[in-house]
Amino acid sequence: SPAVRAGDFIFISGQVSVDPGTQQWDYGDIQHETRRTLNNIRAILEGCGATLAHVVKCTVFLKDGRDFAAMNEVYAEFFGEAKPARSTVE
């Protein structure tokens, strides 16, 4: 299940860079894959009647910690001033 509602909370399953139209991996550099993943998360939230502004906690898994800065640039585009709590794991 991509998302589960528990009371007022929405829990989203781990998401990756998959094209929702084809259900195929959408490979690219870390910024491309971050953008695709966050767009997928935004669509799931919207389907549940929420927005990225409602997010309070994120966990980011990176294969290579050297990608953090590039991922973080895209992350900031999506969350702007919302600034949910975040853990990043390499």
Side-chain angles (χ1 to χ4, degrees):
S1 176
V4 174
R5 184 180 294 274
D8 290 337
F9 294 94
I10 301 167
F11 294 90
I12 297 177
S13 300
Q15 298 297 307
V16 293
S17 181
V18 170
D19 181 325
T22 64
Q23 295 301 304
Q24 300 297 312
W25 283 92
D26 187 11
Y27 293 111
D29 64 17
I30 190 65
Q31 290 187 319
H32 171 81
E33 291 187 16
T34 300
R35 192 167 283 109
R36 167 63 78 186
T37 300
L38 289 174
N39 276 321
N40 291 349
I41 290 169
R42 179 175 23 213
I44 292 167
L45 286 168
E46 289 173 354
C48 294
T51 69
L52 288 170
H54 293 106
V55 174
V56 296
K57 172 71 172 93
C58 293
T59 304
V60 176
F61 292 92
L62 292 173
K63 182 177 180 180
D64 187 339
R66 293 174 292 191
D67 288 333
F68 179 82
M71 176 279 298
N72 200 47
E73 285 180 30
V74 176
Y75 183 92
E77 290 173 18
F78 281 78
F79 288 103
E81 295 301 314
K83 306 269 190 282
R86 180 181 68 195
S87 302
T88 303
V89 180
E90 178 182 22

